[in-house]
Amino acid sequence: MPRDHVERSAAHDWTLGRTGRMSGSLSARWFQALYDTPLLFSGILDDQGCVLDANRAAVEGCGLDRAQTLGRPFWECGWWAPAPELSARMRGWCEQAMRTGEPFRTVSHFFLGDGTRRMVDAVLIPVRDDQGDTYLVATGLDITDALAAQQQREERAEVEADALRQVAAARQREVGVVQRAERRADERLHRMVAVALDLLSAETVEDLVTIMVDRAMPVLGADGGAVVVREGRERLRVVFGERLGPEMQDVYGELPYDSPLPGCWVARTGEPLLLPRRSAGVAFTEEMIEVYEATGRDAWAFLPLRVGTRLLGSLAVSWREERTFRPDEITMLEAFAAQCAQALDRIQHLSAQRATALAAQRLSEALQHSLLTQPPTAGALDIAVRYQPAAHGAHVGGDWYDAFETAGGATVLVVGDVTGHDRDAVAAMGQIRNVLRGLAYDTDDGPAVLLGRLDRALRGLQVRALATALLCRAEPTPEGWRLRWSNAGHPPALLRGPNGGVRLLAGHDLMLGVNPGRRRREQTVDLVAGSTLVLYTDGLVERRRDVLDQGIADLTLLLEQVGDEDPERLCDLLLQVAPRGHEDDIALLVMRCCGPPQR
């Protein structure tokens, strides 16, 4: 039996155990890189037996069409599909493995399109991911040639039964070699599976190096290595494993693009390079003399990291002693490099996406904060405000507050919430805020009229957004202050009296953007010195498992208890009502009536 065939046949001794788990998502890219060999076919089935992904040997290598294979039941799209009896048995085997949770193995025959009969050693292994979803890993090995070879050996053994004892001893030694090769192949395949699963959790190049160099390569007897990453056409970034020590990172962590060192050369050319002895490395470039002295490693292998036609860098692997690379070791190195390249490609895409998202987030945050201006601080009305973004996500949204004095001496207070949590919501919020300021500044219109005018203006200006808003207008009177308010679908304001009692300013109309022609209601209350008004958005009181009324009740109780604090301190205390890790933005405005208007 050819050695390459023997090593791959050990794949059928591998299982993930009775309760196998697979961390992260079952990525088609790493799965294909892991099992893309000409003899071993492999695929992943969902809990209904449909094919989620499969390698080339399982689809194109068997004359199947990938588009017509993925998504179909496994027993309808394999070699066995033309044979109803075998297809039915395959379905039963899949259902048995999913039902019992135990691996299932069978040896069956199938026919190619030219009528050739082949034998396959198939294994069905149930696995679960971190979310508890169950999948079926299907692997198979074409053992036709192996069986034929075995049959031939048996026939020869019968003919040569009377051969010399030396022949029998030689055969025994050959069996020992095969068995050792099988054990070695089994261990390496198991390590490849473990590495592929670990790579799903890698988020940085440092994570990649730890998994690939420090955990995976020792199976080949390697001791240390590095990953060289192309960063433009001016420099190369090199990340070393822990086994080579931090000194190498300090000296060689960043290299020019045209560096003559082997790892850089491979990262530029995409050609693999094996340096089994020191003499080979020095012959390649004399700069390797310093590398040999610094690392104490006498043998090196450099593999290109390539995804499709894109060259991402190179993988460097080292050994303490000089060595001769066997063909099976080279194959294993190439497989590890393929896994490493897929993981590096994913990490770089994630990094680019994060950088883009961070830039957009910072721009949105700057825009949002530029619109949330500080309220007026002088006079008999003491106003404090707070804005707190969502604990997770884009950190921008459509919540806003505003407070300003009109030309006539009134003070306008408003909080609002535009639907959405993105830059569009921020932009719509800015338009609504600015239009409202312009409408309210030089008029004595009450809140209900102003909200109606605002709604119609937004429709005419084609600001296509839905928003809630609570608009208040504090007006000086001969006796003190009068508060007028109108509510467009927003949580009610809270008014605390000087003696501690809290009143909900209840009642609301349609939110903005629904029906601009509908008339809005307005209510009025007199403010006495020492009273406190609290306006807020629903992020402060909304909880995932409770109704909104419960959050408002909690806020009311806290306001009763701590409402005597000055507005700045009171804002900080009221924010404690917000649920931990709140998923919505919070805008909060607190106004204290300190006395009569200043004449």
Side-chain angles (χ1 to χ4, degrees):
M1 183 184 302
R3 177 176 299 173
D4 186 57
H5 179 88
V6 171
E7 292 177 351
R8 286 180 170 86
S9 70
H12 293 279
D13 292 332
W14 164 73
T15 68
L16 293 180
R18 294 179 179 271
T19 58
R21 283 188 176 274
M22 187 170 289
S23 63
S25 62
L26 296 172
S27 169
R29 292 188 297 175
W30 69 255
F31 189 82
Q32 183 172 352
L34 176 61
Y35 295 109
D36 196 10
T37 69
L39 297 179
L40 181 68
F41 80 82
S42 55
I44 296 181
L45 319 180
D46 63 16
D47 58 1
Q48 300 300 315
C50 294
V51 180
L52 297 176
D53 202 354
N55 68 348
R56 292 185 179 275
V59 183
E60 291 85 351
C62 297
L64 302 177
D65 181 82
R66 180 169 291 272
Q68 296 180 1
T69 299
L70 299 186
R72 295 181 58 195
F74 188 48
W75 48 86
E76 293 182 3
C77 56
W79 307 306
W80 41 81
E85 180 182 353
L86 185 56
S87 177
R89 289 208 304 270
M90 179 59 69
R91 177 174 183 172
W93 295 334
C94 292
E95 292 174 348
Q96 176 183 336
M98 290 295 289
R99 182 179 65 255
T100 65
E102 296 289 340
F104 182 87
R105 182 178 182 179
T106 182
V107 176
S108 299
H109 68 270
F110 65 94
F111 293 91
L112 297 180
D114 58 2
T116 304
R117 183 176 183 270
R118 307 294 290 178
M119 298 296 294
V120 62
D121 187 355
V123 179
L124 301 170
I125 305 171
V127 297
R128 295 196 308 273
D129 64 12
D130 290 341
Q131 286 72 42
D133 295 328
T134 301
Y135 301 85
L136 205 60
V137 177
T139 64
L141 186 67
D142 184 351
I143 61 173
T144 307
D145 296 336
L147 293 177
Q150 181 65 27
Q151 183 177 359
Q152 292 176 3
R153 286 196 297 270
E154 293 174 354
E155 292 174 353
R156 286 196 302 269
E158 292 179 2
V159 174
E160 300 170 354
D162 297 329
L164 299 174
R165 291 181 179 272
Q166 292 83 351
V167 175
R171 293 288 297 166
Q172 186 62 36
R173 289 193 296 270
E174 179 183 347
V175 171
V177 171
V178 170
Q179 291 175 342
R180 288 192 295 273
E182 288 180 342
R183 288 194 295 270
R184 185 170 61 250
D186 181 55
E187 178 186 359
R188 291 176 179 177
L189 183 59
H190 181 76
R191 181 62 61 91
M192 287 184 66
V193 172
V195 169
L197 297 177
D198 288 343
L199 287 176
L200 292 176
S201 64
E203 296 185 356
T204 64
V205 179
E206 287 74 14
D207 294 340
L208 175 61
V209 172
T210 298
I211 296 169
M212 183 59 62
V213 174
D214 293 333
R215 299 181 192 172
M217 291 307 172
V219 74
L220 295 174
D223 189 27
V227 170
V228 182
V229 182
R230 294 164 55 110
E231 295 187 349
R233 297 191 63 84
E234 296 183 359
R235 69 189 188 102
L236 297 167
R237 179 189 175 198
V238 186
V239 180
F240 288 87
E242 293 183 357
R243 295 173 183 266
L244 293 182
E247 295 80 8
M248 290 294 293
Q249 190 67 52
D250 294 338
V251 176
Y252 296 98
E254 185 173 323
L255 295 172
Y257 185 78
D258 59 353
S259 169
L261 288 172
C264 302
W265 182 84
V266 173
R268 289 195 305 272
T269 65
E271 297 293 331
L273 179 63
L274 301 179
L275 302 176
R277 290 169 293 278
R278 283 201 177 202
S279 58
V282 175
F284 184 84
T285 174
E286 292 185 355
E287 291 196 16
M288 279 297 291
I289 296 176
E290 296 182 2
V291 175
Y292 286 126
E293 295 302 321
T295 63
R297 272 55 169 187
D298 291 345
W300 288 80
F302 302 91
L303 290 305
L305 300 179
R306 190 191 304 276
V307 174
T309 59
R310 293 189 303 114
L311 185 59
L312 308 181
S314 65
L315 172 65
V317 189
S318 65
W319 289 261
R320 289 188 177 274
E321 305 294 336
E322 294 184 345
R323 65 188 291 106
T324 299
F325 293 100
R326 300 192 307 270
D328 62 305
E329 291 177 333
I330 296 175
T331 299
M332 194 74 172
L333 285 169
E334 291 172 345
F336 277 132
Q339 288 181 299
C340 186
Q342 292 288 344
L344 179 59
D345 181 56
R346 178 180 60 80
I347 290 170
Q348 289 181 334
H349 276 89
L350 287 176
S351 179
Q353 291 172 359
R354 288 169 181 164
T356 301
L358 180 60
Q361 174 185 321
R362 288 175 175 171
L363 178 62
S364 298
E365 287 178 346
L367 171 62
Q368 187 169 40
H369 285 297
S370 70
L371 296 174
L372 300 176
T373 55
Q374 288 299 312
T377 56
L381 301 178
D382 188 3
I383 303 173
V385 291
R386 292 289 187 275
Y387 174 79
Q388 193 172 89
H392 306 287
H395 297 291
V396 293
D399 294 34
W400 92 94
Y401 59 76
D402 202 1
F404 57 92
E405 293 183 358
T406 69
T411 298
V412 173
L413 312 168
V414 61
V415 291
D417 185 1
V418 178
T419 57
H421 294 86
D422 51 25
R423 284 174 290 175
D424 292 339
V426 175
M429 177 268 284
Q431 291 176 296
I432 294 173
R433 170 189 176 275
N434 292 336
V435 170
L436 178 59
R437 276 195 160 215
L439 293 175
Y441 177 72
D442 59 354
T443 181
D444 292 330
D445 288 342
V449 174
L450 282 174
L451 286 178
R453 293 176 60 196
L454 173 64
D455 211 357
R456 293 189 294 274
L458 296 177
R459 174 67 63 86
L461 295 173
Q462 296 186 347
V463 179
R464 304 184 184 280
L466 296 175
T468 67
L470 177 55
L471 179 62
C472 301
R473 179 182 170 95
E475 301 173 339
T477 67
E479 294 77 19
W481 293 92
R482 176 181 297 114
L483 183 72
R484 302 163 63 188
W485 81 89
S486 183
N487 189 324
H490 200 80
L494 304 180
L495 180 62
R496 184 184 188 273
N499 298 324
V502 176
R503 170 187 174 185
L504 267 67
L505 303 187
H508 61 80
D509 298 319
L510 289 175
M511 61 192 308
L512 299 173
V514 177
N515 185 2
R518 186 159 181 175
R519 185 175 181 180
R520 297 184 177 275
R521 295 172 296 171
E522 182 174 298
Q523 301 183 63
T524 303
V525 65
D526 290 330
L527 298 177
V528 298
S531 58
T532 302
L533 179 69
V534 176
L535 309 181
Y536 55 92
T537 56
D538 58 4
L540 181 63
V541 294
E542 192 171 45
R543 293 163 177 77
R544 180 174 297 180
R545 295 180 177 84
D546 291 331
V547 297
L548 194 64
D549 291 347
Q550 182 60 51
I552 296 174
D554 293 342
L555 181 63
T556 300
L557 179 60
L558 182 59
L559 180 59
E560 290 177 347
Q561 297 170 348
V562 300
D564 289 333
E565 299 285 346
D566 69 85
E568 290 291 340
R569 171 65 175 161
L570 185 55
C571 280
D572 295 333
L573 293 174
L574 295 181
L575 285 174
Q576 297 177 7
V577 173
R580 185 184 300 274
H582 56 90
E583 300 178 355
D584 200 358
D585 304 340
I586 297 173
L588 176 64
L589 185 151
V590 173
M591 183 194 76
R592 172 74 48 75
C593 181
C594 300
Q598 297 178 356
R599 304 300 180 182

